[in-house]
Amino acid sequence: MAFLTWTDSMSVKIESIDKQHQKLIGMISDFYENIKTRSNNDNILKLVDGMKKYTLEHFRYEEKFMQQFNYPGYVEHKHEHDLFVTKVNALEEKYKSGKIIVSYEITSFLKDWITNHIQGVDKKYSDFLVKNGVE
Ligand SMILES: [Fe+2]
């Protein structure tokens, strides 16, 4: 069984966002596979960098719509995004300076975070953004 797979139960009923979530989940799974097979350091860092960039792009995409339509849960949602970015940056710095090794603990953190975030706060905006015509 794959480490993490997107399922219909994760759908926020907005195609563009579902696609981005699928891509993110694919990236986290790749990352896990690379750690499992003890891929080299450069590969790991490249994957981390790719995930960071894509996550930021994705967060901005969601936030743009929430702001545009005055979504009432925007501040709380943006805060979750910001906390995640801070945490990932801190993990990356620790890894680069040799203070931690990339471990299953990190892949589990990513997996749990994305799953809970989609099922929790992302689903909360679903009806609101759909009503505002976001596809
Ligand atoms: Fe989100």
Side-chain angles (χ1 to χ4, degrees):
M1 206 180 104
F3 176 64
L4 179 60
T5 339
W6 188 90
T7 59
D8 285 349
S9 70
M10 289 179 176
S11 175
V12 293
K13 301 183 201 99
I14 297 164
E15 202 189 342
S16 58
I17 295 180
D18 280 349
K19 282 203 176 127
Q20 291 172 12
H21 285 155
Q22 285 160 10
K23 177 154 177 170
L24 271 176
I25 282 171
M27 289 174 119
I28 294 172
S29 294
D30 262 7
F31 182 60
Y32 172 81
E33 286 303 321
N34 271 265
I35 286 171
K36 204 169 79 175
T37 55
R38 297 177 191 278
S39 179
N40 70 58
N41 203 30
D42 281 356
N43 272 347
I44 302 273
L45 283 172
K46 251 184 232 157
L47 287 169
V48 171
D49 201 50
M51 273 193 292
K52 262 177 55 177
K53 283 190 182 133
Y54 192 73
T55 307
L56 280 176
E57 237 176 75
H58 165 66
F59 286 170
R60 297 296 92 92
Y61 186 84
E62 286 185 346
E63 289 161 11
K64 183 189 75 188
F65 288 124
M66 288 189 252
Q67 276 185 303
Q68 188 179 338
F69 301 113
N70 285 319
Y71 174 60
Y74 170 72
V75 172
E76 182 204 351
H77 200 129
K78 167 103 170 84
H79 184 63
E80 280 228 14
H81 287 170
D82 291 347
L83 280 180
F84 180 76
V85 172
T86 306
K87 169 103 185 180
V88 169
N89 281 334
L91 286 172
E92 188 189 23
E93 281 316 308
K94 276 191 193 165
Y95 176 69
K96 280 185 178 163
S97 62
K99 286 185 189 131
I100 48 163
I101 52 162
V102 173
S103 62
Y104 291 115
E105 210 180 307
I106 297 178
T107 53
S108 297
F109 161 74
L110 294 173
K111 177 182 173 172
D112 291 347
W113 192 88
I114 192 85
T115 310
N116 293 331
H117 184 79
I118 294 173
Q119 306 274 20
V121 286
D122 282 351
K123 281 205 168 175
K124 280 192 199 163
Y125 66 52
S126 177
D127 287 347
F128 181 87
L129 292 187
V130 169
K131 259 185 237 154
N132 280 285
V134 182
E135 304 182 329

